[in-house]
Amino acid sequence: MAGGRVVRQPSGHLVFYGGHGRRVLATDPDGHPLHECEWETDATGRARLMRARVCLDWGQWVGLKPEGLVNHTALDLSKKPGWERLRADDLRQMAAQAMQVPLEEMQFFYGDDDLIVDTRGQATIRHKRDALYVLEGGTFQRARFMSCLGAMRWARIDFLPVVELFQSLLPGTGNAMFELIRGLYDDQNEGQPHPIPLRYRGIPTYPSEAAYRLFSGFFVPQATRGGDPFPIFMDLRCSHEVTWLPVSDPPRRHFDPAHHLCVTIKGGIVQKVTVADDPTGVPFVNVGRNEFAPCERSVEVRGALLLKDCEKRTEIPVDPSWGISSSGERDSSPDRLRTYPLSWRALFGGPLPQVTASQAFSAVLLYPDDGTEIEEAPSQPFVADHLQDVVEQQPGLASHLARAGRVMIHNFDAAVTTCIPLNSPREYTILYHRPDFAQKQAQILWNRFAQANRLDWAKRVTFLPAEAYQKPTYEQQYDVIYEWVPYSYFDQSVKFHEIARATACALQSGGLAFVVGPRAMREPLQAQRLRLLQAEAVETLSSFRTLQAILPHARLKAGLTLFHAAKV
C-alpha cells in the first residue's frame, strides 16, 4: 500500500498501517484477517475511524460504526424561570442529578454540541453510541443491528466502554472487539514513556464478573486505594476508581482452516478452541483454576490439542507457530475435571434438534434500530423477565408457583431458562418450535443445574419438538402453563379458541396459566371459564421500556398482551 508499512509482532501476528499511520488490517501469522479499520482525515488533519469490522472465532464478521446510533431527547424548558441563561453546563448538572451519575461523567460524554437550548426554550440532548452489526456476507451492505457501546474516542482510546444489549452479542464478539481496542491502544501508546491508564466509564456502568474477566484478559486492574480491585469494580458507584493498564501478553488468536478451528492463546497457554463447523456452538475451554467446563467441553494440550466433549475425545495437531509453551502444556491438563451423570443432550426427550453450526452460533436475540417490528423470539424475554420480577414482588404468587409440581412451557423458545427457577425440583415439559434456540436454552439450563450441583433436578426437564409432541403433551395435566401464541396465528381467530380450549383442558384445577397473544385472546380464555387475574399490554412492561431507553423506536407486534389466568 502507498506509504504504508507492515509490522510483524513477536507472536508472528501481522499489522498493516496505511499512509496516514493508522492500523488498517491485523492478521494472524498465516494471514487470516482478525480486524480491519477504515479511517478518514478531516480538514484539520486529524484521523477519524469511519468503520471497522472484526472476524469472530467461527468466521462470522461483526461491524462497528462509530456514533452509528444517535438518539435525541427533547425537553421544554420555556416554563423554567431563567431558562434564557441556561447553558450546556447547566444541562449537564441537571442530567447528572436526574440520572444520579457524577457530573464529570456528563462532561466526559456530552460535548457542547450535544446539549442545545434554542431561542424558544426547547432543549435537545443528543446521546451518541457506537453501533455493532452482524455483517451478513461479511459486508456492511447487509448489516443488521446487534448491540451498542459507549461512544469511543477511537483515534485516542482513553476509557473502557459499557456494552449495552450484551445478551444480543454473537459468541466471541467481546474478545474480538477488545482485540481491536487493545491493538489501537498499543498503536497510540507506542513510544510513550507510560501508557494511558484506562477506566470503565458509561452512563451508567454495568459492572459484572463477565466484564471484569474480559477486561482482565487485555488489561491489568489496579485499585487506586489499594486492595483487591474486584469488589471495587463490582460496586456501581466505584467501578470508575479501578484503573486498567496493558497486560504484557494479551490473548492471541490463530486460525487453522484445515481443521476449521480458532485457537486462543495467552502466555503460551491455550485458553479456548472454537470449531467453526461444530453444530454444538460452544467452544472448548481450558478450565484452569475453574473446575467447571460449560457443557462439559474442555481442551487440554498433551502433544496435541485434546478436545473433550462429554465422553467424546478428538485430537488436533498443534502448529508450532502457535507458540504453546511447555509450561502451558502442563497448565492445560487439569486432573480434577468433574464428570456428570448426564449431559445437556439428555434434556431432549425426543430426537436432538437438527441445527447447523451457523445457526447454533447465531442463536442470539436481535432488535432492529429503525422501528421495524421486533420478531417473535426476541419479544419473549420481555414477558419472562417481567414474570420473574412479579414473582419476586408478590409473595402469594411466589408461594403458589413454588408448590407447582408439573409445569408446561410452550413456544417460549428464547426465554425458557427464565421460566425455570432453581428453588425446587419439579417436572418441566418444554414444547419448542425453534431448534437453535431450544438447543441454546438447554445448554444454559444444564450449565445452571451443574454449577448449582442440581443435575438430579435436570432429569425431570424434557425438551420436545412441538410438531411431533404437542397433542400428547396437552392430554396431560399441569399446575402451571406458559403459553405463547405464535404470531402466525394472530389473524386466525379460530386458533384463539383452540389454544384457549387446549390450555384450559391441560390446566389442573387451581392452576395458573400465563398466556401471551393478541388482545382478542381475552374472550376465548373467559369462554373456557378461566378467571382472568390480569391483562397487560407487553409494550407497557418495564422490561420493554428498558429496551426503548436504548432503542426509542423499538416496536412490538400490535396488541401483544400478557394474560394471567387461573382455573377455578
Side-chain angles (χ1 to χ4, degrees), residues 58 156 179 181 203 221 512 558:
W58 42 286
R156 189 61 172 166
E179 187 177 64
I181 289 172
I203 303 178
L512 290 176

Side-chain angles (χ1 to χ4, degrees), residues 218-461:
F218 296 86
F219 299 91
V220 178
Q222 296 178 329
T224 54
R225 53 178 126 149
D228 184 358
F230 179 69
I232 300 173
F233 177 85
M234 292 297 291
D235 187 333
L236 179 64
R237 301 164 299 175
C238 306
S239 292
H240 64 282
E241 295 181 12
V242 177
T243 59
W244 299 83
L245 290 170
V247 300
S248 58
D249 189 4
R252 308 283 184 183
R253 292 191 293 161
H254 299 260
F255 284 84
D256 181 352
H259 297 97
H260 309 284
L261 57 80
C262 176
V263 182
T264 300
I265 297 172
K266 178 177 169 61
I269 300 172
V270 174
Q271 300 294 302
K272 68 173 179 176
V273 175
T274 302
V275 182
D277 59 354
D278 185 344
T280 302
V282 178
F284 298 84
V285 299
N286 179 350
V287 295
R289 297 177 183 175
N290 177 11
E291 297 184 16
F292 180 72
C295 295
E296 296 184 278
R297 291 167 67 85
S298 64
V299 58
E300 301 176 13
V301 182
R302 295 184 177 178
L305 292 180
L306 180 59
L307 307 182
K308 296 183 178 182
D309 180 358
C310 302
E311 300 301 320
K312 182 181 177 182
R313 303 289 187 270
T314 304
E315 286 195 8
I316 305 290
V318 169
D319 188 323
S321 70
W322 295 346
I324 299 175
S325 66
S326 57
S327 61
E329 182 167 343
R330 291 193 302 272
D331 290 344
S332 68
S333 302
D335 297 323
R336 61 185 183 278
L337 195 62
R338 291 184 59 183
T339 58
Y340 299 92
L342 76 164
S343 77
W344 65 267
R345 296 175 177 87
L347 273 60
F348 288 90
L352 287 176
Q354 297 301 301
V355 179
T356 67
S358 177
Q359 289 170 336
F361 284 114
S362 301
V364 298
L365 305 174
L366 300 180
Y367 299 94
D369 61 343
D370 58 0
T372 302
E373 181 183 282
I374 298 172
E375 295 175 353
E376 183 174 313
S379 300
Q380 293 172 354
F382 302 129
V383 173
D385 291 345
H386 170 72
L387 290 176
Q388 188 178 56
D389 292 340
V390 168
V391 170
E392 293 175 356
Q393 296 162 7
Q394 298 182 15
L397 179 59
S399 176
H400 191 123
L401 293 177
R403 294 193 302 270
R406 303 190 73 211
V407 179
M408 178 173 67
I409 303 172
H410 183 198
N411 197 30
F412 268 80
D413 300 348
V416 169
T417 56
T418 310
C419 301
I420 301 180
L422 295 186
N423 58 7
S424 179
R426 56 180 59 89
E427 182 178 321
Y428 288 96
T429 302
I430 301 156
L431 293 173
Y432 67 86
H433 293 262
R434 303 166 187 82
D436 50 348
F437 281 104
Q439 174 173 284
K440 185 168 186 177
Q441 291 289 297
Q443 291 168 345
I444 294 172
L445 192 58
W446 185 92
N447 289 337
R448 287 176 53 197
F449 279 126
Q451 289 181 291
N453 199 26
R454 297 293 189 187
L455 275 179
D456 53 328
W457 294 5
K459 295 177 182 179
R460 303 180 65 183
V461 176

Side-chain angles (χ1 to χ4, degrees), residues 46-365:
R46 291 179 299 184
R48 176 173 177 264
L49 182 66
M50 296 298 295
R51 60 185 184 178
R53 64 174 193 157
V54 298
C55 185
L56 305 186
D57 296 357
W58 42 286
Q60 174 66 49
W61 285 90
V62 166
L64 163 74
K65 287 186 180 180
E67 299 183 18
L69 184 65
V70 181
N71 295 329
H72 295 83
T73 302
L75 300 174
D76 183 2
L77 302 178
S78 61
K79 296 180 176 59
K80 184 178 180 65
W83 68 264
E84 299 90 345
R85 296 188 297 275
L86 289 175
R87 297 295 180 263
D89 276 339
D90 300 309
L91 292 178
R92 290 190 187 95
Q93 184 66 58
M94 294 164 56
Q97 292 175 350
M99 298 182 192
Q100 296 184 327
V101 299
L103 175 60
E104 53 265 31
E105 291 300 292
M106 298 300 300
Q107 295 169 331
F108 187 83
F109 285 103
Y110 290 89
D112 289 351
D113 57 343
D114 298 320
L115 303 161
I116 304 296
V117 181
D118 67 18
T119 56
R120 297 177 293 110
Q122 305 302 306
T124 301
I125 301 174
R126 184 176 63 168
H127 189 173
K128 298 173 294 189
R129 294 180 176 92
D130 296 340
L132 297 175
Y133 302 85
V134 179
L135 302 182
E136 297 182 24
T139 71
F140 281 90
Q141 281 68 40
R142 298 176 61 195
R144 187 176 182 188
F145 179 80
M146 177 177 67
S147 182
C148 55
L149 57 151
M152 299 274 287
R153 296 163 172 83
W154 292 99
R156 189 61 172 166
I157 291 173
D158 55 0
F159 74 101
L160 297 179
V162 168
V163 177
E164 300 181 271
L165 302 177
F166 62 90
Q167 292 186 334
S168 294
L169 294 177
L170 291 174
T173 299
N175 281 288
M177 284 302 304
F178 262 75
E179 187 177 64
L180 170 64
I181 289 172
R182 175 60 195 270
L184 295 176
Y185 173 88
D186 287 346
D187 292 346
Q188 295 155 17
N189 283 277
E190 185 177 0
Q192 300 298 318
H194 302 289
I196 298 173
L198 304 179
R199 297 177 187 268
Y200 181 43
R201 308 188 73 160
I203 303 178
T205 52
Y206 302 96
S208 67
E209 185 176 350
Y212 189 85
R213 286 198 307 268
L214 175 61
F215 295 173
S216 298
F218 296 86
F219 299 91
V220 178
Q222 296 178 329
T224 54
R225 53 178 126 149
D228 184 358
F230 179 69
I232 300 173
F233 177 85
M234 292 297 291
D235 187 333
L236 179 64
R237 301 164 299 175
C238 306
S239 292
H240 64 282
E241 295 181 12
V242 177
T243 59
W244 299 83
L245 290 170
V247 300
S248 58
D249 189 4
R252 308 283 184 183
R253 292 191 293 161
H254 299 260
F255 284 84
D256 181 352
H259 297 97
H260 309 284
L261 57 80
C262 176
V263 182
T264 300
I265 297 172
K266 178 177 169 61
I269 300 172
V270 174
Q271 300 294 302
K272 68 173 179 176
V273 175
T274 302
V275 182
D277 59 354
D278 185 344
T280 302
V282 178
F284 298 84
V285 299
N286 179 350
V287 295
R289 297 177 183 175
N290 177 11
E291 297 184 16
F292 180 72
C295 295
E296 296 184 278
R297 291 167 67 85
S298 64
V299 58
E300 301 176 13
V301 182
R302 295 184 177 178
L305 292 180
L306 180 59
L307 307 182
K308 296 183 178 182
D309 180 358
C310 302
E311 300 301 320
K312 182 181 177 182
R313 303 289 187 270
T314 304
E315 286 195 8
I316 305 290
V318 169
D319 188 323
S321 70
W322 295 346
I324 299 175
S325 66
S326 57
S327 61
E329 182 167 343
R330 291 193 302 272
D331 290 344
S332 68
S333 302
D335 297 323
R336 61 185 183 278
L337 195 62
R338 291 184 59 183
T339 58
Y340 299 92
L342 76 164
S343 77
W344 65 267
R345 296 175 177 87
L347 273 60
F348 288 90
L352 287 176
Q354 297 301 301
V355 179
T356 67
S358 177
Q359 289 170 336
F361 284 114
S362 301
V364 298
L365 305 174

